[in-house]
Amino acid sequence: MTAATHSTLFPQVPDSADAVLEGLDPEQREVATALHGPVCVLAGAGTGKTRAITHRIAYGVRAGILHPSSVLAVTFTNRAAGEMRGRLRQLGAGGVQARTFHSAALRQLKYFWPKAIGGAMPRLVDRKIQLVADAAAACRIRLDRGELRDVTAEIEWSKVTQTVPADYAPAAAKAGRESPRDPAEIAQLYAAYEDVKRERSVIDFEDVLLLTVAVLQDRHDIAEQIRSQYQHFVVDEYQDVSPLQQRLLELWLGERDSLCVVGDASQTIYSFTGATPDHLLDFRTRHPGATVVKLVRDYRSTPQVVHLANGLLAQARGRAADHRLELVSQRAPGPEPVYAEYTDEPAEAEGAARRIRELVDSGVPASEIAVLFRTNAQSETYEQALADAAVPYQLRGAERFFDRPEVRKAGIALRGAARFGGNDSLLDDVVDLPSQVRAVLSGEGWTTQPPAGSGAVRERWESLAALVNLAQDFAAARPAATLADLVAELDERASAQHAPTVQGVTLASLHSAKGLEWDVVFLVGVAEGMMPITYAKTDEQIEEERRLLYVGVTRAREHLHVSWSLSRSPGGRPNRRPSRFLDGLRPGSTATAGRTAAGGAGGIERGIPGTRGPAPKRAQRVPARCRVCGRTLTDAGEMKLMRCDDCPSDMNEGLYERLREWRADQARSSGQPAFCVFTDRTLMAIAESAPDDERGLARIPGVGMRKLTRYGADVLAICAGQSSAESADQD
């Protein structure tokens, strides 16, 4: 279930541009009002990133600053694009284009194909497996089903990283990929696959991006036509951008900088597809004039869930870990996460199903519960356990809601009833909208009680029940609505792929759970060999597994259950152990040795207006040493003070208190937390050194160029015994 469906289903459209900003926190409001120049939003899990960027677009449209047709918002899944369109429609900005990269590129490619290339555009194939199998047959290479899937994944990776067949072997080695077969064979299969496509005049999804890039590079007139259409770009989940998608984005932009990107390096979990957080982490380097806003206020999860999430990343390594965000829960305290150990996997599934049955019986909606696992192969055990416990469930990643046959038939029936309802005997004795919908859908298989068991019959009933529930919510929000109004609403939702909630426990892999949230989450199979997965060998792969578990934890709003089993099957050897990622976090365990990554606080960093091009390279760092005893410093707090914690301090207490009072005033006037002005450690360092010029102040860790420009005069005045007001008068 998404945040959008968890909130009011049919909110009133804001009556003005200013009304769009109501309810946003200071950082979200900064995102919404930063409509010019490059903007980078670093948004932790549950911090309202989609809310911030949709309100940004809607505010710009409603204020007359952005024309709806000039905005292109891109993301990575049809579900996310549909949710974005739904939210924009609710905010009064329905004309904005919100699409996936592939959808936007395909639309442009179809339109410009006759002009750029001529003739009929090749047919787009949505599955590569058969083509790869035919390529393997042409090469006389035998591939089983698993190898076919793996080779297909390698071809997809090669194309999104813009690697041609001849360069596959060195590129794969450089990226540290473990090829499913000899790299020379993969290159041969890749080349043969491209030949098969040409012979049959078909293209795949990666070709859509490659061909669009080629057209925009070769035909400047077409590139300019697209740039005249779209002047403002928003990219969601920017940490998942591949090199090919980044190149397309650059061609869309041209020399302009009206770009807003949103992402979280700690949620990079698709590197195997070519996604990389480097574009997000290097954004300020490429755009020194960018405004950077960090969202760390977590509105989704309780402090207990957030504490576990922060703890998971505290021992992380690598570049993404260096830029992690320390989440701060905005919710009331809740229950502690529950940890459970079972003898085997069936016992673990039965234990989860038993607890879920208790939750449903106590009144928790089944749609607010999820069971998340590392691999899809784990699903079957939980499907059986939930069916045995008579708990309804749905599989995440199945057919899109409005594409389901029963939903299509139900839509036709409702549309017919709206047009000719006066002649339908089913509607003779019903007056209100929900009763009309129940009457119509009863003819399609809906009943007041769900069918027993699981399977296709139950799934069809769940789909129809979702439409019944949607009609009830629609009527409650709009009492005067007619059946025709509901049909129009369904049409708009189908167009936006803004699906209603299906009543059933969600079974999903951790990868497919990205972007979703539930009140109750069961993380199952959290054992070594599964989390991290056995084939994760390198440090980078291990860290991605840690981030995957982090994504799973942050799906939970309130209740989190973490479990593992000691063996795979009943009677098996109990040689498994809980995941290393839980060391030091679950009761009775000790932390794994390793460095602790520094957490990133929320706040706003403004770039230098008009600055373009690469930022200057930083000077090479030299070891920091204590200014009292000379010992090398490694702790971030000690480095900020430039002394060991246990070395004597010569801090001016009066100066420290004056700085704290000034900081409190600054925080109140700017509407941001005090630590965003300066941290306590930085104030202590200033009070100890009492600098008398900008050069001395700039030497203090925590006082960067931005803060020196903004606060330097005030701080130096306070250090000199003046008030900041006196400094302003002198200026």
Side-chain angles (χ1 to χ4, degrees):
M1 187 171 183
T2 65
T5 55
H6 188 61
S7 59
T8 304
L9 280 170
F10 303 100
Q12 295 296 317
V13 175
D15 58 7
S16 67
D18 288 340
V20 172
L21 302 178
E22 292 177 2
L24 301 181
D25 67 30
E27 292 79 26
Q28 291 172 342
R29 180 180 285 259
E30 180 68 23
V31 174
T33 55
L35 297 173
H36 301 289
V39 178
C40 179
V41 184
L42 302 177
T47 58
K49 69 176 180 63
T50 306
R51 175 180 173 83
I53 59 174
T54 52
H55 280 68
R56 177 185 190 269
I57 295 169
Y59 175 72
V61 169
R62 299 293 297 278
I65 300 171
L66 305 178
H67 192 280
S69 63
S70 73
V71 181
L72 178 59
V74 288
T75 186
F76 288 84
T77 66
N78 288 315
R79 181 201 59 77
E83 181 184 337
M84 193 178 292
R85 287 193 293 270
R87 291 203 193 191
L88 290 169
R89 183 165 60 90
Q90 292 168 354
L91 292 169
V96 173
Q97 291 291 316
R99 297 178 174 273
T100 65
F101 270 99
H102 285 88
S103 173
L106 180 59
R107 191 164 179 257
Q108 294 171 12
L109 192 62
K110 284 181 176 178
Y111 183 82
F112 289 108
W113 187 275
K115 180 179 180 180
I117 300 170
M121 181 175 161
R123 179 174 60 88
L124 176 64
V125 294
D126 56 0
R127 288 176 59 82
K128 301 182 181 68
I129 290 288
Q130 187 56 53
L131 294 177
V132 175
D134 293 343
C139 296
R140 298 185 179 182
I141 297 175
R142 294 178 60 88
L143 300 176
D144 60 29
R145 182 178 300 178
E147 288 175 319
L148 274 174
R149 185 178 61 248
D150 292 342
V151 169
T152 300
E154 288 304 294
I155 291 174
E156 290 175 348
W157 173 82
S158 299
K159 299 184 78 164
V160 300
T161 55
Q162 298 175 280
T163 302
V164 298
D167 295 337
Y168 169 78
K174 183 178 180 181
R177 295 183 72 84
E178 290 190 12
S179 299
R181 295 182 70 98
D182 182 88
E185 278 191 332
I186 300 290
Q188 182 185 4
L189 289 166
Y190 178 13
Y193 168 79
E194 293 297 316
D195 290 339
V196 169
K197 285 197 295 122
R198 277 191 293 271
E199 290 168 2
R200 300 180 185 179
S201 189
V202 297
I203 59 175
D204 59 29
F205 279 104
E206 288 71 41
D207 290 329
V208 170
L209 300 183
L210 285 164
L211 289 167
T212 306
V213 165
V215 168
L216 296 182
Q217 286 180 158
D218 295 343
R219 293 292 299 268
H220 298 293
D221 56 330
I222 293 177
E224 288 306 316
Q225 190 172 340
I226 291 176
R227 290 167 191 160
S228 66
Q229 168 71 46
Y230 297 116
Q231 281 103 43
H232 308 278
F233 295 85
V234 177
V235 185
D236 192 14
E237 303 289 3
Y238 193 54
Q239 77 278 352
D240 292 332
V241 166
S242 70
L244 180 56
Q245 289 164 333
Q246 175 65 22
R247 180 59 185 144
L248 177 59
L249 179 62
E250 291 167 354
L251 288 166
W252 281 341
L253 274 169
E255 295 299 316
R256 301 165 301 172
D257 61 3
S258 186
L259 171 65
C260 175
V261 300
V262 190
D264 178 11
S266 295
Q267 296 188 68
T268 305
I269 58 174
Y270 297 108
S271 66
F272 60 90
T273 67
T276 171
D278 289 345
H279 304 299
L280 175 68
L281 299 178
D282 292 338
F283 191 84
R284 192 65 179 273
T285 302
R286 296 195 312 275
H287 304 278
T291 296
V292 178
V293 184
K294 297 179 181 179
L295 305 183
V296 298
R297 304 176 202 240
D298 188 323
Y299 298 96
R300 175 188 300 160
S301 305
T302 62
Q304 287 75 14
V305 173
V306 167
H307 178 71
L308 176 57
N310 286 337
L312 275 173
L313 295 184
Q315 295 295 325
R317 298 172 179 271
R319 193 174 181 216
D322 291 339
H323 293 79
R324 76 180 181 90
L325 298 168
E326 185 91 26
L327 299 178
V328 182
S329 176
Q330 305 298 300
R331 294 192 55 183
E336 291 290 338
V338 175
Y339 299 88
E341 183 174 275
Y342 294 90
T343 56
D344 51 63
E345 289 182 4
E348 184 180 1
E350 290 167 9
R354 186 167 54 249
R355 178 60 185 137
I356 291 171
R357 179 74 265 173
E358 293 170 356
L359 289 168
V360 172
D361 290 344
S362 70
V364 178
S367 60
E368 287 294 351
I369 304 173
V371 178
L372 307 182
F373 32 75
R374 176 62 180 85
T375 68
N376 288 316
Q378 295 168 269
S379 172
E380 185 178 357
T381 304
Y382 289 89
E383 291 179 54
Q384 186 61 54
L386 290 173
D388 292 344
V391 174
Y393 67 87
Q394 58 171 327
L395 289 173
R396 179 71 196 161
E399 193 173 21
R400 293 195 296 186
F401 182 83
F402 287 104
D403 290 340
R404 298 175 185 175
E406 64 271 19
V407 174
R408 288 179 176 274
K409 287 184 62 180
I412 293 171
L414 290 170
R415 186 171 288 104
R419 290 179 179 175
F420 312 111
N423 301 322
D424 193 336
S425 60
L426 283 173
L427 304 180
D428 286 348
D429 299 323
V430 295
V431 290
D432 64 336
L433 178 60
S435 298
Q436 290 176 322
V437 172
R438 286 193 292 268
V440 172
L441 296 187
S442 64
E444 301 299 321
W446 179 82
T447 56
T448 55
Q449 295 298 319
S454 59
V457 173
R458 180 58 182 257
E459 289 179 5
R460 285 195 294 271
W461 184 89
E462 295 287 0
S463 297
L464 298 177
L467 293 174
V468 170
N469 293 334
L470 183 70
Q472 292 170 343
D473 292 328
F474 189 68
R478 304 178 188 177
T482 65
L483 192 56
D485 294 329
L486 176 64
V487 169
E489 173 68 21
L490 290 175
D491 287 342
E492 288 196 32
R493 281 176 167 256
S495 176
Q497 285 298 328
H498 187 190
T501 302
V502 175
Q503 294 300 318
V505 172
T506 299
L507 295 176
S509 70
L510 288 166
H511 281 102
S512 63
K514 177 79 166 59
L516 304 175
E517 58 187 74
W518 298 268
D519 284 345
V520 186
V521 168
F522 286 77
L523 289 175
V524 299
V526 188
E528 285 291 306
M530 193 60 73
M531 180 59 67
I533 199 77
T534 306
Y535 53 75
K537 303 293 187 184
T538 67
D539 289 344
E540 291 80 5
Q541 291 168 341
I542 295 294
E543 287 306 317
E544 182 148 337
E545 293 288 300
R546 187 195 305 274
R547 294 194 295 269
L548 190 56
L549 183 58
Y550 170 81
V551 166
V553 168
T554 54
R555 300 310 95 192
R557 297 194 190 103
E558 188 169 0
H559 297 275
L560 181 63
H561 297 254
V562 183
S563 64
W564 58 91
S565 56
L566 299 177
S567 66
R568 180 175 182 180
S569 55
R573 291 182 59 188
N575 55 2
R576 290 181 175 176
R577 64 174 295 269
S579 169
R580 72 190 75 170
F581 299 145
L582 298 178
D583 290 348
L585 300 174
R586 62 182 176 86
S589 65
T590 56
T592 303
R595 70 171 179 82
T596 299
I604 302 158
E605 299 176 8
R606 302 185 192 280
I608 304 169
T611 307
R612 295 183 61 87
K617 293 183 179 179
R618 295 183 178 180
Q620 190 172 7
R621 291 184 177 181
V622 296
R625 299 187 182 279
C626 174
R627 55 189 169 83
V628 179
C629 69
R631 182 177 68 85
T632 299
L633 302 176
T634 57
D635 179 77
E638 292 181 342
M639 291 170 67
K640 189 162 287 189
L641 292 175
M642 293 304 292
R643 65 169 174 82
C644 306
D645 275 337
D646 53 359
C647 281
S649 169
D650 53 357
M651 183 176 72
N652 183 328
E653 295 288 347
L655 174 56
Y656 179 67
E657 289 305 317
R658 291 196 301 276
L659 287 168
R660 282 174 57 87
E661 292 172 3
W662 165 83
R663 182 182 66 174
D665 291 339
Q666 291 291 326
R668 277 193 296 271
S669 64
S670 62
Q672 59 183 340
F675 65 77
C676 292
V677 180
F678 285 119
T679 64
D680 287 344
R681 288 273 190 173
T682 300
L683 290 189
M684 290 175 64
I686 294 172
E688 286 187 359
S689 61
D692 55 10
D693 58 23
E694 285 192 352
R695 180 174 296 179
L697 181 58
R699 291 197 193 102
I700 297 173
V703 183
M705 182 57 67
R706 181 182 62 83
K707 292 189 177 183
L708 183 66
T709 302
R710 187 169 184 181
Y711 303 126
D714 281 1
V715 172
L716 291 173
I718 295 170
C719 290
Q722 305 172 2
S723 68
S724 57
E726 291 173 15
S727 171
D729 291 341
Q730 291 175 8
D731 291 342

